[in-house]
């Protein structure tokens, strides 16, 4: 009489284990650092909630700067002047013998960039020499919220020293939400952005950087692209450089850049894909736009929704795009992930069915958001920090990473017929604004504002045992199954 219910329980446990294991097969996102609701401006332990920040990967660490938040305690907007943070990340699959959890460390940058405050700036890292890795920011929104700037600031990521920056007369005009990407050690491409008076610039600017002891100078030129076809003017797009191996697959032998989506003219959202390629023809280097996908579709489920403020990266021969917002009279933030195959020019949807977020639930998928900061870290991680959500309105300071290698589209891709709507409808305090008061700022001269060299010395390689709730559940069920089997064996022996 006892064996039957025990057998049933054992089979049920095995069924639950199988179900959970199969359901956990697609887990593209991993939360590296959760949000801190209380983190305030210049908090010594945690960067404040923000959107419109910039982030790069350098020497095993993420570096974030700038952004915007609204201090509800003081009911005023806050631009984060000189707000630099460094966080070491594990880039491979190795396990540290003495694991430490991920942690942020704030550091100070000297010069103009140490006093600078802007958001939605264009950024890139140039590397004229092995010793000079220079983090460059151009344009963005200034402190009063209404000024769009056209200045450039830069910091040496090795020393934390700011550079005196100069440009020539052909420099791009002031703009916000432009995109910039390095295409060689000492050159970058700047595209798009919203200028003064609501002007959207469709020109492509090519900047060549020259570095002296304390000065960074850039010579700008407007690329005269061949052909009459080109993308519509836009801002807040995804702009990614392509490596030489991927470029060769497209028949080119120079630098190439991929462009996706963005916000166009008022109440216009875009989801087209373009290739800007450089071809060496004789003595002249000629650039040309080529449209890879027009964004049109016979259904709403085989292409990503038009959007701006998304994040993305080119990995191998695929473009990976995530998050963003679709804006009209109001904005809807997104939390989906898509892969665009650059060979067959086809979109692949990822298992975009994130579970509902509640105020006390643990999720394996980040909240929908726009204008998050993002950076690629080898071998296969796209890190995403912060951003802004709607329904309810919230700023974030959490850190997630998306695995973008072959496991993403092999384990998580969906058939187009089975794909569903990709818009996240958050249940987190739905209908209420969610921006709790921030902690009081600390003194700007506090010792927590260490130099970047001290921040690197203090930083430890993260790792550690990450106890995923699903893994814990599976382990518990396995233990239960073993215990049930052991009890059954003991009962059989007693009956003998």
């Amino acid at each position: 009489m006892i064996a039957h219910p025990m057998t049933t329980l054992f089979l049920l446990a095995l069924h639950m284990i199988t179900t959970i294991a199969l359901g956990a097969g697609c887990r593209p996102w991993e939360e590296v650092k959760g949000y801190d609701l209380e983190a305030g401006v210049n908090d010594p332990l945690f960067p404040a909630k923000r959107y419109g920040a910039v982030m790069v990967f350098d020497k095993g660490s993420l570096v974030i700067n700038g952004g915007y938040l609204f201090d509800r305690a003081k009911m005023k907007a806050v631009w984060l002047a000189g707000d630099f943070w460094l966080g070491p990340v594990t880039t491979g699959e190795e396990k540290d013998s003495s694991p430490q959890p991920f942690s942020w460390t704030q550091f100070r940058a000297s010069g103009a960039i140490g006093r600078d405050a802007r958001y939605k700036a264009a950024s890139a890292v140039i590397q004229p020499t092995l010793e000079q890795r220079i983090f460059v920011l151009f344009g963005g929104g200034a402190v009063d919220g209404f000024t769009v700037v056209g200045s450039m600031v830069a910091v040496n990521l090795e020393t934390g020293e700011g550079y005196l920056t100069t440009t020539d007369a052909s420099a791009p005009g002031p703009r916000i939400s432009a995109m910039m990407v390095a295409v060689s050690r000492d050159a970058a491409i700047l595209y798009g952005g919203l200028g003064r008076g609501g002007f959207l610039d469709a020109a492509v600017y090519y900047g060549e950087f020259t570095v002296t002891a304390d000065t960074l100078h850039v010579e700008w030129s407007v690329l005269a692209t061949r052909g009459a076809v080109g993308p519509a003017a836009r801002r807040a797009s995804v702009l990614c450089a392509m490596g030489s191996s991927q470029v060769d697959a497209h028949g080119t032998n120079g630098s190439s850049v991929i462009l996706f989506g963005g916000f166009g003219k008022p109440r216009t959202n875009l989801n087209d894909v373009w290739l800007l390629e450089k071809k060496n023809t004789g003595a002249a280097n000629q650039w040309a736009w080529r449209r890879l996908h027009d964004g049109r579709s016979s259904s709403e489920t085989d292409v990503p929704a038009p959007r701006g403020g998304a994040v993305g990266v080119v990995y191998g021969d695929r473009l990976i795009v995530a998050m963003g917002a679709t804006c009209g009279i109001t904005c809807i933030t997104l939390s989906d992930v898509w892969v665009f195959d650059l060979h067959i020019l086809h979109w692949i949807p990822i298992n975009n069915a994130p579970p509902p977020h509640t105020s006390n639930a643990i999720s394996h998928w980040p909240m929908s958001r726009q204008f998050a900061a993002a950076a690629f870290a080898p071998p296969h991680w796209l890190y995403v920090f912060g951003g802004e959500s709607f329904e309810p309105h919230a700023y974030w300071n959490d850190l997630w990473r998306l695995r973008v290698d072959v496991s993403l589209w092999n384990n998580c891709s969906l058939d187009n017929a089975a794909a569903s709507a990709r818009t996240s409808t958050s249940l987190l305090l739905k209908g209420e604004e969610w921006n709790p008061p921030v902690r009081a700022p600390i003194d700007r001269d506090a010792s927590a504002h260490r130099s970047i060299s001290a921040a690197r010395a203090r930083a430890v390689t993260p790792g550690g045992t990450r106890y995923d709730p699903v893994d814990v559940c599976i382990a518990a069920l396995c233990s239960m199954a073993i215990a049930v089997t052991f009890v059954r064996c003991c009962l059989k022996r007693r009956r003998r």
Side-chain angles (χ1 to χ4, degrees):
M1 298 297 293
I2 299 178
H4 178 68
M6 287 296 181
T7 302
T8 303
L9 182 60
F10 177 72
L11 294 176
L12 179 61
L14 288 179
H15 174 73
M16 292 179 65
I17 293 171
T18 304
T19 301
I20 293 175
L22 291 175
C26 174
R27 190 72 61 75
W29 287 104
E30 178 184 351
E31 187 180 60
V32 181
K33 188 73 170 178
Y35 53 81
D36 185 339
L37 305 184
E38 299 293 328
V41 182
N42 300 326
D43 186 294
L45 301 177
F46 215 105
K49 305 181 300 294
R50 68 190 72 191
Y51 86 117
V54 292
M55 180 166 67
V56 296
F57 174 78
D58 177 67
K59 291 187 68 175
S61 295
L62 300 172
V63 179
I64 60 173
N65 173 249
Y68 163 94
L69 65 86
F70 187 79
D71 187 339
R72 292 183 60 81
K74 298 181 179 179
M75 294 304 293
K76 70 174 185 179
V78 178
W79 282 263
L80 300 159
D83 190 66
F84 281 91
W85 292 82
L86 179 142
V89 293
T90 303
T91 58
E93 304 304 317
E94 67 277 2
K95 297 296 183 181
D96 194 277
S97 57
S98 56
Q100 298 291 333
F102 177 90
S103 63
W104 290 108
T105 302
Q106 193 172 26
F107 69 89
R108 185 198 306 274
S110 63
I113 198 169
R115 303 182 299 273
D116 188 72
R118 61 181 73 191
Y119 76 113
K120 297 183 181 178
S123 65
V125 175
I126 61 168
Q127 192 173 359
T129 68
L130 293 177
E131 294 75 26
Q132 293 176 315
R133 300 181 309 283
I134 303 174
F135 187 13
V136 180
L137 283 76
F138 179 87
V143 174
D144 59 11
F146 298 98
T147 302
V148 178
V149 299
S151 60
M152 182 175 66
V153 290
V155 63
N156 188 320
L157 289 172
E158 181 66 27
T159 65
E161 297 175 350
Y163 283 89
L164 174 66
T165 56
T166 61
T167 59
D168 58 5
S170 59
R175 63 195 61 209
I176 192 171
S177 299
M179 296 74 64
M180 184 163 61
V181 61
V183 291
S184 68
R185 282 186 172 272
D186 59 357
I189 281 180
L190 178 77
Y191 177 74
L194 183 68
R196 293 170 180 168
F199 172 70
L200 286 171
D201 192 353
V204 180
Y205 296 87
Y206 184 82
E208 292 184 308
F209 294 85
T210 303
V211 182
T212 60
D214 59 355
T215 302
L216 176 66
H217 181 75
V218 57
E219 293 283 340
W220 290 103
S221 60
V222 177
L223 292 183
T225 55
R226 293 185 294 109
V229 179
R234 64 193 68 197
R235 63 184 177 93
S237 303
V238 172
L239 190 70
C240 304
M242 296 182 63
S244 58
S245 60
Q246 297 91 340
V247 174
D248 293 342
H250 290 277
T252 65
N253 56 358
S255 301
S256 292
V257 175
I258 293 291
L259 172 71
F260 165 77
F263 297 126
K265 57 186 180 180
R267 299 183 183 179
T268 301
N269 304 277
L270 304 168
N271 64 344
D272 47 353
V273 184
W274 292 81
L275 170 71
L276 177 63
E277 56 185 348
K278 174 185 175 183
K279 293 187 175 181
N280 299 326
T281 55
N285 293 329
Q286 295 185 336
W287 294 76
W289 283 109
R290 179 149 58 101
R291 187 170 63 188
L292 304 182
H293 199 288
D294 60 10
R296 298 176 183 176
S297 171
S298 57
S299 69
E300 297 181 354
T301 58
D302 57 359
V303 297
R307 70 193 64 198
V311 299
V313 66
V314 169
Y315 182 86
D317 55 0
R318 292 173 170 89
L319 167 70
I320 295 91
V321 173
M323 301 177 174
T326 297
C327 293
I329 299 177
T330 60
C331 287
I332 299 174
T333 49
L334 308 167
S335 63
D336 51 356
V337 180
W338 288 80
V339 176
F340 185 73
D341 191 304
L342 294 168
H343 283 296
I344 63 175
L345 306 183
H346 175 72
W347 282 107
I348 304 170
I350 299 305
N351 183 10
N352 298 316
H357 291 68
T358 60
S359 57
N360 59 355
I362 297 176
S363 175
H364 300 291
W365 203 283
M367 284 285 290
S368 62
R369 63 193 70 191
Q370 66 166 347
F371 288 107
F376 175 77
H380 46 231
W381 298 106
L382 177 65
Y383 284 84
V384 178
F385 168 81
E388 179 184 32
S389 297
F390 297 99
E391 299 180 359
H393 183 259
Y395 297 122
W396 296 93
N397 58 359
D398 50 349
L399 179 67
W400 293 78
R401 65 180 186 178
L402 175 70
R403 182 162 181 161
V404 297
D405 65 348
V406 67
S407 64
L408 177 65
W409 43 85
N410 282 353
N411 297 337
C412 302
S413 62
L414 295 175
D415 294 331
N416 290 339
S420 58
R422 302 302 192 257
T423 302
S424 171
T425 55
S426 168
L427 300 180
L428 175 59
L429 303 180
K430 191 168 180 62
E432 302 177 13
E433 287 200 4
W434 188 65
N435 269 316
V438 296
R439 282 200 291 262
I442 64 172
D443 187 354
R444 284 298 305 173
D445 296 325
S447 60
H449 291 263
R450 49 184 62 84
S451 66
I452 188 171
S453 58
R456 289 192 188 278
R458 179 179 180 273
V460 292
T461 302
T465 305
R466 300 182 57 86
Y467 293 106
D468 188 284
V470 172
D471 296 334
V472 172
C473 183
I474 292 175
L477 290 173
C478 290
S479 299
M480 183 188 301
I482 294 172
V484 168
T485 304
F486 178 76
V487 170
R488 288 187 61 199
C489 292
C490 292
L491 291 174
K492 286 182 178 179
R493 290 195 174 189
R494 288 187 61 185
R495 283 198 294 267
R496 291 176 186 173

